[in-house]
Structures are given as structure tokens and as C-alpha cells.
Amino acid sequence: MILDENQLEIVNSNEPRIIVEAGGGSGKTRVLIERVKRLLNDGVEPSNMVCITFTNMAAEEMKERLIDVPGIGDCFIGTIHSFANKIFKNSNENYRLYTDEIQDQFMTVLINLHAKFLTIEKYFIYKDVQKKIDLGKVDENELQLYLNPSELYEINVFLGQIENEQYQENINTLCKKYNVITFDELLKKTTQYFKEINGKVEYLFVDEFQDIGPLEKKFFKALNADNYFYVGDEKQSLYAFKGGNVNFFLNLIK
């Protein structure tokens, strides 16, 4: 694979801490992958390397591009939450991760047992519209076209966003009852656990670093990496609605 002069400099650098800031289509992920290959060729143990992305699709793409590299199976490649889950499984804490499927199961139970206005059909309409709102495709007022105020109120109660003593259960109480934790709770718990065991990562690679938020920042710091390689583009920050803050990336560059 042919790399230009700047890309070669990054791939072959022996600096322990590197931040790559470049625009879309400039080959940032390609440089990350070529650096992984180069370090493996230099004798770095694959089990000492952690490559983190922020979507399952990006993780699968990275795995495909590294599949022919000898020993790559011992290198972790995946999302931040899948890596946190891998670490926290060693804590012996009994838990299940809060998934979309679990939310649907819990909401079905809550609606069947406690709803006065909301139906399961209306809940799934709410989910579809809310996804479009989160992605910025429609305005938040769009919900009012499909659900009346009483239905929206009950959704917020069941999701634990509004407290009402007349409703005995919500998502939060069911999570505690069945040892279910959210992805945010997983990051918090794993950050604390990794500090307690004095854990360390030798080589840490993070793609799309501009999308990290406060929890991700603390998590990466707790990994205490001897060598880190962060790649990002401030103009491609996509996850502000989920707590992402591009300033963490910009401040680290400064």
C-alpha cells in the first residue's frame, strides 16, 4: 500500500504519544491500520494492542482490513463499550448490559402493568420518531404529531425521566431488580475497576477521537496507556447529542 511522505512519517514514528488531526478522505484510518501492521512487524505482541472505534460498522471494517496480518486475532479490535465489557467481566460483578431489546422488554412490561394511556404500538412509534430526532432529521415537535400529551408523559415516567409516585415501577427500578446496567454505567464501573487493579494498556489506538465525551475521556485516561495513537477530525464530530465534546480532542492537540 503506497503512503505519502506525511503518512509514512506517522506510521514509522517511534513517539509514544501521537495525535493525528486530518480532514475527511485523507486516509486517517488507513494510517492507523498501517501503524498497527508496522508495530506487529517490529515484534509488538498483538495481545498488548487495543484498537477502539465508536461503531460496530467501523470495528468490522478495521477487522477486515487487518484480517491477513499474522497474530491479529490476539489484538483487541472493537467498540469502546465492547472493550469495557471485556475488562469488567473480570470483576465478578453479576450484570447484564442495557440493550435496545431489554428496553423494549421492560417497556412492554411497564405498559401492560401500569399504563393508563400509553400502548405498546404508540411506544414503538415514539422510538422511531425519537431516532430521527437524535439524528437531526426531524424537529422534536414531531413527536406531538403521533402521541398526545398523556402518552408522552407516561413514556417519560416509564423511562425514568419524570418521577411520579403513582407509578410504582420504571426502567430504572427494573434495571436494579434484574442487575442491568447501561453503557454509561459500564464505562463508569470499568474506569473505577481498572484503577483499582492498577491496570495498564501498552498500545492504545482510538479512531474518531473527536467524538469522545466526559465518560470516554476518563475511561481512556484510566487505561494508563504507555503508547497512545489518537485519530480524529474536528469537522466530523457527530455525537454531541450523546455527550460527545470535540473540545476534548482540540484541547489535547494544544
Side-chain angles (χ1 to χ4, degrees):
M1 183 175 288
I2 299 175
L3 302 174
D4 65 29
E5 186 176 338
N6 288 335
Q7 291 171 330
L8 279 172
E9 181 182 0
I10 296 167
V11 168
N12 294 320
S13 173
N14 291 316
E15 292 292 332
R17 296 174 179 136
I18 296 175
I19 305 170
V20 178
E21 199 282 324
S26 59
K28 297 188 299 298
T29 303
R30 175 181 164 194
V31 166
L32 185 154
I33 289 170
E34 291 303 313
R35 183 167 175 81
V36 169
K37 290 180 180 179
R38 182 230 129 184
L39 290 170
L40 291 172
N41 288 333
D42 286 353
V44 174
E45 289 293 326
S47 58
N48 293 334
M49 303 178 76
V50 174
C51 300
I52 289 178
T53 65
F54 283 88
T55 66
N56 290 319
M57 184 181 299
E60 289 305 315
E61 180 184 346
M62 191 177 293
K63 288 177 183 177
E64 288 177 10
R65 292 166 74 172
L66 286 165
I67 195 168
D68 295 329
V69 179
I72 197 63
D74 295 326
C75 170
F76 178 86
I77 303 173
T79 65
I80 185 172
H81 296 112
S82 61
F83 184 59
N85 192 38
K86 180 180 180 180
I87 294 172
F88 198 58
K89 280 181 178 177
N90 297 317
S91 70
N92 295 320
E93 181 169 327
N94 181 29
Y95 72 95
R96 285 190 299 158
L97 276 177
Y98 183 85
T99 61
D100 208 41
E101 290 74 21
I102 287 178
Q103 176 177 305
D104 292 346
Q105 291 172 13
F106 284 177
M107 285 296 288
T108 299
V109 169
L110 292 169
I111 291 168
N112 285 332
L113 290 178
H114 306 297
K116 300 178 180 68
F117 309 101
L118 185 64
T119 65
I120 294 170
E121 291 75 19
K122 283 296 186 74
Y123 160 68
F124 281 107
I125 290 173
Y126 162 84
K127 274 192 69 177
D128 290 339
V129 176
Q130 189 62 52
K131 282 182 182 178
K132 294 176 183 177
I133 292 172
D134 289 342
L135 293 171
K137 293 182 177 180
V138 298
D139 188 83
E140 196 161 347
N141 293 330
E142 190 83 4
L143 282 171
Q144 298 172 13
L145 299 177
Y146 299 95
L147 290 91
N148 64 45
S150 296
E151 292 167 337
L152 283 171
Y153 180 80
E154 278 195 335
I155 281 179
N156 287 322
V157 170
F158 291 149
L159 290 176
Q161 297 168 358
I162 296 176
E163 291 187 10
N164 187 321
E165 294 180 356
Q166 295 180 9
Y167 294 86
Q168 298 176 357
E169 294 181 306
N170 59 32
I171 286 284
N172 297 330
T173 60
L174 291 182
C175 282
K176 289 179 182 178
K177 184 177 180 180
Y178 295 103
N179 296 320
V180 174
I181 64 174
T182 65
F183 286 121
D184 285 352
E185 288 171 326
L186 174 66
L187 286 184
K188 290 177 185 177
K189 287 175 176 287
T190 308
T191 297
Q192 185 60 36
Y193 172 70
F194 210 68
K195 288 179 181 177
E196 290 172 357
I197 65 172
N198 294 315
K200 180 180 283 291
V201 168
E202 188 172 350
Y203 286 88
L204 175 63
F205 296 82
V206 183
D207 201 6
E208 307 297 350
F209 195 83
Q210 75 278 350
D211 286 325
I212 72 165
L215 292 178
E216 291 85 0
K217 179 186 177 185
K218 291 177 182 177
F219 178 74
F220 290 139
K221 186 175 181 180
L223 294 181
N224 198 20
D226 289 329
N227 303 269
Y228 67 65
F229 188 87
Y230 298 154
V231 177
D233 175 8
E234 62 174 293
K235 295 179 181 177
Q236 289 186 314
S237 181
L238 300 174
Y239 293 102
F241 69 91
K242 288 187 177 180
N245 188 338
V246 71
N247 287 321
F248 292 138
F249 179 55
L250 297 177
N251 289 337
L252 191 58
I253 292 174
K254 291 177 184 177

